[in-house]
Structure formats: C-alpha cells, structure tokens
Amino acid sequence: MTGNKAVAYVGKGSVEVQDIDYPTFKLSDGPGVNQANVGRECHHGVILKNVATNICGSDQHMVRGRTTAPEGLVLGHEITGEVVEVGRDVEFIKQGDLVSVPFNIACGRCRNCKEGKTGICLNVNPDRPGSAYGYVDMGGWVGGQAEYVLVPYADWNLLKFPDKEQAMEKILDLAMLSDIFPTGFHGCVSAGVTVGSTVYVAGAGPVGLAAAASAQLLGAAVVIVGDLNGDRLAQARSFGCETVDVSQGDPKAQIEQILGVPEVDCGVDAVGFEARGHGREAGTEKPATVLNSLMDVTRAGGALGIPGLYVTGDPGAADEAARVGSLSIRIGLGWAKSHEFTTGQCPVMRYHRRLMMAILNDRVQIAKAVNATPIPLSEAPRGYHEFDVGAARKYVLDPHNMLHTSS
C-alpha cells in the first residue's frame, strides 16, 4: 500500500497538505463524514491516481469560513485521474483508463439519476439530495485534492477518454470537464443562449470565464462579462468578450454603451452568495446584488442561469436572514418580466461527453480561456491564497508531476 497526501481545511483562511489514509472500498469515519455513510461498502468504485485536481471557488467559500465545514475536511471535487484499482463489482472501467470525474456523486439507480438529474442523486447523501467530493454537508465523501481518491459507482460516474495519449496532450482542457466547463455551459443553456444571443455573465472568475467561452461555443453574438477585478476582466477580453467594470456603477449603462440597448437576451450568475455591491458599494457584501442586477438587465421573456453557489448555512453572513440563505431578491421584477430561473448543481453528466468532443476536436480552448495554471500539490496553500486575493487564474494541482505535456 502506498501513502497519500491531500489538501485539508484547517481553519478560517488556511489549508495545509497532510498525510491521510490511502483510499479503500469502504468509507471510514473522518472530518465531515456523515455517520450514516461510515462503513459503506463501495465495491462498485475505483481508486484513482489523480493526474489533475483543481482549486475551485466553491472550495474558497469553505476556506474563508463561510460554511459549516469542519476543520480537517479534505477538499477537492474537480478530479481527473488514472484508474489504479478496480472494485469487485465494476464491469466496464479498467485499470489504466484515464477518466474525468463529475463533481456530482451519483448512484445511477435512483429516480433523479434516471431522469438525468445527477446533481440531486437520492442515494449518496443521507441528509439531502445531492453530493460531491470534499464538500460540506455533501455526505462526507473524501475530497480529491490528493494523490489518490475513491470514486464510487465508477461505471456510471466516470467519463473515459477514448485515446490516452491524445488526452494527455490536452489534459489541462480536459481537467475542466469535472466541473467548471459543464457548470458554465449549464448556466448558458439554462439562460437560453443560442445563435445570435446577447449574453451578460456576472463574474469573471473561472466559472464566469467558462460560461463566457460556453456562450461563444453556443453561437452568442455578443458576450459581456462583468466583474470588479481588472485582471479578470482583461482575461475575459483576451478571448473576445466585452467587459463591464461594476466598480464603476450599475452594469445597465455600460451594457447600453456596448449594445445600444440596456438589456441582454440572457443572464448568467457566476458569482453566488458572496456577491459585492456595485459602484460606491463595491467594497460591501450585498448577496442579492447579482440576482437583482441580472433581472434588471435581462429582457422581458428572457432567462437567468444561476450556476453561482447559494447556501442554506453561512455563519459569516452580514445579517441573520443571509445566514440561512434568505436574500432580498426582487422577485416581483422577475415576475413582471416573465423571467425563467434555473438554479442548483450542474448535472455534469448531461454535458461532459459533448464538451469532451469539442475539446478533442479543437472547437474550444477552455484552459486558455480560464488561464489554467498547474502547480504542485505541495503549493496548494499558495494557490488558495493567490486565488482568494483575485488572481486571474484557474489553479490546477499536479500531485504526480504529470502535467508537463499539457497544452
């Protein structure tokens, strides 16, 4: 048996690389593990040697102390790896396969999974529908910012890359399939983006940039990205997006300067519950700002895709209502404009195969769009810090020094 190093949350604002147990096909107790899952047999799973495992903005919410995540929780839900051990009941996935892991953990057997709603599987989290690796209140499945990780229901969950050599040539792009590329794409599909659409994406972090690239892939005529961070706005402009600096004020007037009208066809919220105010309130947390501004700038009859994370428990919120996920949303405005809203985890399996084919056939350069930047696992604390202070990068952890051939 080999060792295993992993990134763990150790207190507000802090992560560290720790030695943890090598995974087995039986869930053990540990920080954040749901007690009803302890002892759960997973002979339907595989053990992966992680090739790439990314730092996500959703991880940052926990590290900032904005959730009820316990200290010691092993982080990481964006996983790409090579199969090194195969469980007794796995039929089709083989040792040596190179695979992408959807961040949603899904059984493939329940009603929701059979309806394609893999983000709200009924069988993997004893507390509520939906689960993910290394995430608070998601059942306690050990995270994948590690050298090795267990993936349950492998035949169902894993996306095998058809050609291992070709995949390694594009591994940084393919590493985005576990979460942010499908998530951004889902936000655009939910918002109704199609050929000729005008689109406003709120947020120029990695999910927002992935959404912007997805809007282009879907045929949008104009993609506008709004943010407070100048470096991230420059990253959006680097692949053909228009940008709005919301530190200068409400986005509506700036959108009108770009389009000639103050509204777009489609709105995407890639910010979530830690939103900041616009203009003079740019330094103040205003969790409903993005949702309300999207309703304001999206035309009547349009739609809002909301892949940005909202939570039911936020101990760091500014007021009592926000601490339980209750925000001052202008639902009357959305009602008056007949808006459609789509929220929740992206069902990654709905999109990842098609997006894989787009990557392998050079239809999109998602790693370039999000500025994917490999770093060793040992440098995860630095990656978390730089990402937290606004680096215009998507940090990709490289546990086994295998990303040197990436494009």
Side-chain angles (χ1 to χ4, degrees):
M1 179 179 293
T2 184
N4 192 19
K5 292 185 181 296
V7 180
Y9 167 62
V10 293
K12 186 176 179 179
S14 184
V15 301
E16 67 180 28
V17 179
Q18 300 180 343
D19 290 311
I20 67 168
D21 291 337
Y22 184 85
T24 69
F25 295 109
K26 184 175 183 179
L27 295 190
S28 300
D29 200 0
V33 176
N34 190 299
Q35 290 302 298
N37 266 346
V38 174
R40 188 169 182 163
E41 301 278 355
C42 297
H43 298 293
H44 42 65
V46 299
I47 293 170
L48 295 186
K49 175 183 178 180
N50 289 331
V51 174
T53 175
N54 314 333
I55 296 174
C56 181
S58 298
D59 299 318
Q60 288 285 20
H61 293 308
M62 291 187 288
V63 174
R64 293 187 190 116
R66 297 301 298 269
T67 72
T68 56
E71 294 185 10
L73 181 72
V74 174
L75 302 169
H77 56 271
E78 300 189 16
I79 306 164
T80 307
E82 179 183 10
V83 177
V84 292
E85 291 188 46
V86 178
R88 180 191 66 206
D89 299 331
V90 176
E91 187 174 1
F92 302 110
I93 295 293
K94 305 299 182 186
Q95 187 173 349
D97 286 347
L98 190 62
V99 296
S100 178
V101 185
F103 78 90
N104 325 109
I105 302 174
C107 71
R109 296 153 166 80
C110 71
R111 173 181 177 176
N112 284 347
C113 283
K114 290 179 179 180
E115 292 177 356
K117 301 171 184 175
T118 54
I120 45 174
C121 174
L122 300 174
N123 288 331
V124 288
N125 183 353
D127 283 340
R128 65 186 188 194
S131 190
Y133 304 88
Y135 214 84
V136 60
D137 297 332
M138 288 290 183
W141 298 85
V142 177
Q145 286 173 16
E147 293 175 315
Y148 299 91
V149 68
L150 167 70
V151 175
Y153 303 102
D155 282 326
W156 169 251
N157 281 305
L158 294 180
L159 174 66
K160 177 185 172 181
F161 300 138
D163 184 296
K164 197 170 182 178
E165 183 176 347
Q166 180 194 27
M168 285 304 298
E169 291 174 358
K170 296 179 178 291
I171 192 63
L172 278 188
D173 295 280
L174 294 169
M176 302 303 121
L177 290 173
S178 57
D179 183 354
I180 66 163
F181 193 11
T183 293
F185 194 84
H186 178 61
C188 289
V189 170
S190 301
V193 178
T194 187
V195 175
S197 297
T198 56
V199 185
Y200 176 58
V201 178
V207 171
L209 296 172
S214 297
Q216 293 175 337
L217 186 62
L218 287 163
V222 183
V223 181
I224 305 169
V225 179
D227 204 285
L228 300 159
N229 183 313
D231 290 340
R232 290 180 172 182
L233 291 175
Q235 182 64 27
R237 289 192 294 272
S238 75
F239 60 97
C241 299
E242 301 286 345
T243 58
V244 162
D245 182 354
V246 296
S247 71
Q248 302 304 307
D250 188 273
K252 198 166 190 177
Q254 296 177 69
I255 288 171
E256 185 170 18
Q257 290 177 353
I258 296 167
L259 297 177
V261 294
E263 291 184 322
V264 294
D265 299 320
C266 314
V268 179
D269 174 1
V271 178
F273 74 102
E274 287 193 68
R276 301 280 168 174
H278 297 160
R280 288 177 296 178
E281 296 183 321
T284 305
E285 190 166 306
K286 298 284 185 179
T289 296
V290 169
L291 291 171
N292 288 332
S293 68
L294 281 173
M295 286 186 276
D296 192 33
V297 304
T298 301
R299 67 174 179 85
L304 277 60
I306 310 173
L309 175 67
Y310 290 87
V311 295
T312 57
D314 176 9
D319 57 58
E320 289 296 331
R323 289 189 183 107
V324 293
S326 182
L327 310 182
S328 298
I329 298 170
R330 295 184 64 194
I331 192 65
L333 176 61
W335 188 93
K337 297 177 79 170
S338 294
H339 284 156
E340 296 180 6
F341 299 77
T342 301
T343 68
Q345 285 189 34
C346 164
V348 170
M349 293 174 68
R350 190 177 299 174
Y351 307 108
H352 66 172
R353 185 174 297 278
R354 286 179 286 165
L355 296 177
M356 175 188 74
M357 294 303 293
I359 290 169
L360 294 177
N361 290 283
D362 299 318
R363 302 298 297 171
V364 64
Q365 293 181 299
I366 189 64
K368 184 177 180 181
V370 303
N371 197 15
T373 304
I375 60 174
L377 187 71
S378 61
E379 294 185 21
R382 173 178 70 85
Y384 268 92
H385 171 72
E386 292 180 1
F387 187 36
D388 188 48
V389 298
R393 298 179 181 275
K394 174 67 172 178
Y395 285 104
V396 181
L397 302 179
D398 182 6
H400 295 281
N401 192 30
M402 298 178 71
L403 301 183
H404 58 280
T405 59
S406 60
S407 57

